[in-house]
């Protein structure tokens, strides 16, 4: 039996409009009185932030934002089938004038709506490397602690993408009075892989990002959530001696332990990283500490003598030289 043809006023259920320039084609209201929103962070907007009547006959109440009509308010609070608001779309389409208009007219709660991927407009601005948009969103109080589907905050994304200017805006920007975020920026917050921002910056071998994070309060000896590695352990795994030296000079604990008891020297010795092992030993690493397998770094080293804490060893009266 064929489906009954649609009337002239009936909308196609599969129709989607996510473009900024086509807001005039948006439906005025869903027949069920509900709005498409798949994000867990936007439950406060299940109903529109400005009240308007469901019966078109009564006189509509005056809107909170002066000078805006009913259709303009509906457009500003539009949410696409992907969960994107007009603020998301302004960032995606790189439309700063539209973004600034939204920021001037919309309440702070709208800025923190998360789309179907749990991304806020701030996540997208960082991902697309738009520091001016990041700065404007932070100024208006956009949350910097909301996490996307991977558990990443906007700052995690900045570290992964190595967008230094965006990271600086997130760390140093302050919301204007009356627009403050409910939660302050937490630099120890971990994503679903157990990584804090400093861990990500270290894995990316980005010393400038690492320095910026430490200057703004990142805990240098914080352990990641899966195996308990610190940034120094991760720096050893990158095999970048410069990163290891940087962290040691910044105050990293040289004998920090993983959950299995391994120190950075265990990792360096087990990987045959002679120069990094020497750097750790010069910084005071203990080559006799044992992990849960009862192994010391000396047990794991290809040349155990290279890790001995003595520089005056002699064999048959001749000094023993350890290779760097």
């Amino acid at each position: 039996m064929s489906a009954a043809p649609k009337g002239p006023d009936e909308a196609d259920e599969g129709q989607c409009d996510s473009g900024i320039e086509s807001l005039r084609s948006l439906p005025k209201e869903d027949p069920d009185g509900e709005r498409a929103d798949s994000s867990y962070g936007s439950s406060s907007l299940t109903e529109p932030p400005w009240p308007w009547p469901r019966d078109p006959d009564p006189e509509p109440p005056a809107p909170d934002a002066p000078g805006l009509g009913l259709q303009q308010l509906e457009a500003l609070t539009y949410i696409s089938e992907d969960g994107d608001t007009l603020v998301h779309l302004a960032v995606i389409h790189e439309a700063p004038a539209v973004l600034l208009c939204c920021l001037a007219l919309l309440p702070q709660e709208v800025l923190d709506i998360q789309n179907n991927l749990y991304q806020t407009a701030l996540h997208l601005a960082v991902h697309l490397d738009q520091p001016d948009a990041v700065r404007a969103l932070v100024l208006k109080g956009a949350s910097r602690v909301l996490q996307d589907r991977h558990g990443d905050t906007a700052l995690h994304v900045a570290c992964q993408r190595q967008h230094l200017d965006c990271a600086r805006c997130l760390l140093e920007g302050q919301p204007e009075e009356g627009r403050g975020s409910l939660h302050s920026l937490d630099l120890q917050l971990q994503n679903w892989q157990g990584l804090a921002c400093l861990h990500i910056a270290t894995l990316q071998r980005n010393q400038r990002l690492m320095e910026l994070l430490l200057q703004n309060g990142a805990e240098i000896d914080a352990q990641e959530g899966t195996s308990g590695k610190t940034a120094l352990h991760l720096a050893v795994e990158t095999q970048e001696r410069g990163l290891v030296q940087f962290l040691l000079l910044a105050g990293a604990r040289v004998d920090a332990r993983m959950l299995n008891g391994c120190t950075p020297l265990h990792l360096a010795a087990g990987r045959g990283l002679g120069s990094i092992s020497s750097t750790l030993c010069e910084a005071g690493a203990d080559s006799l500490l044992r992990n849960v397998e009862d192994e010391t770094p000396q047990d794991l080293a290809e040349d155990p003598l290279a890790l001995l804490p003595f520089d005056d060893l002699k064999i048959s009266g001749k000094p023993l030289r350890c290779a760097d």
Side-chain angles (χ1 to χ4, degrees):
M1 180 175 178
S2 60
K6 296 181 178 179
D9 297 329
E10 293 184 64
D12 186 354
E13 293 181 356
Q15 186 175 1
C16 170
D17 181 8
S18 61
I20 292 178
E21 301 299 332
S22 56
L23 293 175
R24 283 177 291 184
S25 66
L26 297 179
K28 291 185 178 180
E29 181 150 24
D30 184 89
D32 298 327
E34 296 180 352
R35 304 186 58 161
D37 180 10
S38 61
S39 63
Y40 64 78
S42 55
S43 58
S44 62
L45 289 176
T46 301
E47 297 204 2
W50 292 280
W52 61 73
R54 298 186 182 279
D55 186 352
D57 294 333
E59 185 70 22
D64 293 340
L68 291 180
L70 183 61
Q71 291 184 350
Q72 287 88 346
L73 290 175
E74 291 179 355
L76 285 172
T77 55
Y78 165 70
I79 298 178
S80 75
E81 68 174 12
D82 295 321
D84 292 320
T85 66
L86 189 59
V87 184
H88 288 91
L89 297 173
V91 172
I92 292 170
H93 293 279
E94 300 184 28
V98 177
L99 176 62
L100 292 177
C101 177
C102 292
L103 295 181
L105 297 174
L106 294 174
Q108 179 179 333
E109 293 77 12
V110 177
L111 308 185
D112 293 337
I113 292 179
Q114 293 167 284
N115 63 17
N116 293 358
L117 300 179
Y118 301 146
Q119 297 167 318
T120 64
L122 190 58
H123 282 97
L124 296 178
V126 172
H127 184 84
L128 297 173
D129 196 14
Q130 299 178 13
D132 290 339
V134 172
R135 188 179 297 107
L137 285 162
V138 171
L139 181 65
K140 291 300 181 179
S143 174
R144 290 171 284 180
V145 298
L146 288 175
Q147 295 168 276
D148 65 15
R149 61 173 178 163
H150 301 297
D152 292 323
T153 65
L155 188 57
H156 283 86
V157 176
C159 293
Q160 291 166 352
R161 308 286 295 182
Q162 302 189 64
H163 292 162
L164 183 63
D165 289 339
C166 289
R168 186 174 286 110
C169 292
L170 290 167
L171 289 166
E172 300 175 357
Q174 294 296 329
E176 62 186 16
E177 186 176 356
R179 283 273 193 162
S181 178
L182 297 177
H183 303 284
S184 60
L185 187 60
D186 182 4
L187 294 182
Q188 275 55 258
L189 187 64
Q190 298 180 355
N191 63 15
W192 305 155
Q193 293 179 306
L195 299 174
C197 292
L198 181 60
H199 301 137
I200 296 173
T202 304
L203 290 172
Q204 295 290 352
R205 301 172 171 85
N206 194 317
Q207 186 171 318
R208 294 177 65 190
L209 261 176
M210 295 165 64
E211 186 174 9
L212 179 65
L213 291 165
L214 291 172
Q215 288 173 348
N216 284 275
E219 173 55 52
I220 195 169
D221 291 321
Q223 294 178 290
E224 50 87 21
T226 58
S227 58
K229 295 172 184 173
T230 66
L232 187 57
H233 288 92
L234 297 173
V236 170
E237 291 187 333
T238 68
Q239 302 186 25
E240 292 280 346
R241 187 181 185 186
L243 290 183
V244 173
Q245 292 172 324
F246 167 77
L247 287 168
L248 290 171
L249 289 174
R253 189 154 55 94
V254 70
D255 284 328
R257 301 282 196 123
M258 294 170 52
L259 299 181
N260 64 3
C262 286
T263 65
L265 187 56
H266 278 91
L267 301 185
R271 287 166 171 75
L273 306 176
S275 62
I276 291 180
S277 296
S278 298
T279 298
L280 293 168
C281 288
E282 291 168 4
D286 190 343
S287 63
L288 300 177
L289 289 177
R290 298 183 179 276
N291 60 18
V292 295
E293 302 290 337
D294 202 33
E295 298 169 322
T296 68
Q298 287 187 29
D299 296 329
L300 300 175
E302 296 177 357
D303 180 11
L305 295 179
L307 301 182
L308 289 177
F310 310 106
D311 58 6
D312 58 351
L313 293 176
K314 295 182 179 180
I315 297 178
S316 300
K318 297 180 180 181
L320 177 66
R321 298 185 181 275
C322 297
D324 185 4

